[in-house]
Amino acid sequence: MTKMKLLAATSLGSLFITAVEAFGPAKRACRPILLSSSATLPQRQSYSAYTPRGRNEGRTRLQSSYLDNLSGTSSSYSSTSSPSSPSSSSPSATTTITKLNLEIADALANGVIATALRNNFAPVVVTVVDKSANALVQKRMDGDVHAAFPEFSYAKAYTCVTMNVSSREFRDKYATKENDPAKMAQVTSMMAITGKMAAFPGGVLLRNDEGTPIGAIGVSGAAGDEDEYMALTSVWESGLALRTQPAEHSCATALDG
């Protein structure tokens, strides 16, 4: 029995040695191809978009591209143009303005502030809206300006484009009719329903040279006549083909009036 076990073990050992000798050369022949190949694997230059680092790098590239586009030459606004006056591409006094844009609105707002400073008026807030009462520009002067003035300023401009009159005319048409209860009830209702209308001076309606309403300016912070004067003067001094409503000012305190 022991002799048979030894013979079996010897046979198995011989088979193992034979297998090693048979497959050994093949394995040795394969190793040089993998280990000593002159080709180098390409370096990984980017990260998958599905990894956190890959997403961050992709987001950075997208933001850089977006910022480059913003600062490119295709921008419609020049970085060298002054915010206080229309650029050479702005409408001139002979060009019909069909709608207000940001550049014109900003120039008109700056004109209001310049008039306030020149006449030593109290600090004001000015709001310029388009014909749909969307605020294009709102500016607050330095100084002691009440938190309600931005609301008043917008309400005056809103009243102009809503009623196609100046805020002074709106007051004169409705709020001064002491012997007309129906008018008083009407103006009270309109102001209560919208919550945005103002029946006092300081709102000026803007029309183009064809008489079409295109927006309004609302000013608040000084006396009502002074607010209205600043809005009117800004338009008159802008050189743009715009008509104002009212056509004349009622201010007795202006230094340059």
Side-chain angles (χ1 to χ4, degrees):
M1 187 67 178
T2 301
K3 187 175 181 180
M4 292 179 63
K5 290 181 178 180
L6 289 173
L7 288 173
T10 301
S11 299
L12 290 173
S14 298
L15 289 174
F16 177 78
I17 293 171
T18 302
V20 169
E21 290 178 349
F23 289 100
K27 293 176 70 177
R28 284 192 297 272
C30 292
R31 286 193 189 106
I33 297 174
L34 294 176
L35 298 179
S36 63
S37 174
S38 60
T40 58
L41 293 175
Q43 297 296 318
R44 193 174 188 181
Q45 300 295 330
S46 61
Y47 295 88
S48 169
Y50 298 99
T51 66
R53 186 169 182 181
R55 284 195 297 270
N56 290 336
E57 288 196 354
R59 187 181 300 112
T60 301
R61 288 194 296 271
L62 180 61
Q63 290 171 345
S64 298
S65 175
Y66 177 68
L67 293 175
D68 290 343
N69 289 335
L70 285 180
S71 60
T73 58
S74 62
S75 174
S76 60
Y77 294 99
S78 171
S79 60
T80 60
S81 62
S82 172
S84 60
S85 61
S87 68
S88 58
S89 62
S90 298
S92 66
T94 59
T95 303
T96 298
I97 302 174
T98 58
K99 63 183 295 186
L100 291 183
N101 59 26
L102 180 61
E103 189 175 21
I104 295 175
D106 191 54
L108 293 174
N110 288 337
V112 168
I113 294 173
T115 304
L117 294 172
R118 191 170 65 236
N119 289 273
N120 294 324
F121 291 151
V124 298
V125 175
V126 52
T127 304
V128 182
V129 302
D130 62 15
K131 64 181 179 180
S132 299
N134 297 303
L136 296 173
V137 171
Q138 184 174 83
K139 293 192 175 185
R140 169 193 176 278
M141 292 178 63
D142 294 334
D144 188 11
V145 179
H146 195 278
F149 290 166
E151 298 294 332
F152 293 160
S153 172
Y154 175 77
K156 293 179 183 184
Y158 176 90
T159 301
C160 293
V161 295
T162 301
M163 305 301 295
N164 278 341
V165 295
S166 68
S167 60
R168 177 190 294 274
E169 292 170 320
F170 178 69
R171 178 201 66 181
D172 294 343
K173 183 177 181 178
Y174 295 99
T176 58
K177 306 298 182 180
E178 297 179 0
N179 297 323
D180 192 343
K183 287 289 187 181
M184 288 297 297
Q186 186 176 359
V187 69
T188 302
S189 297
M190 287 190 291
M191 296 177 70
I193 290 170
T194 63
K196 300 175 182 178
M197 303 185 79
F200 38 91
V204 171
L205 181 66
L206 302 178
R207 297 179 182 270
N208 62 17
D209 57 353
E210 297 177 349
T212 304
I214 60 170
I217 303 176
V219 182
S220 183
D225 290 348
E226 295 172 346
D227 291 339
E228 183 183 73
Y229 177 81
M230 285 180 266
L232 290 170
T233 303
S234 173
V235 179
W236 296 340
E237 294 181 349
S238 69
L240 299 173
L242 294 174
R243 302 177 187 175
T244 60
Q245 190 172 337
E248 301 291 339
H249 75 83
S250 303
C251 183
T253 57
L255 301 178
D256 59 2

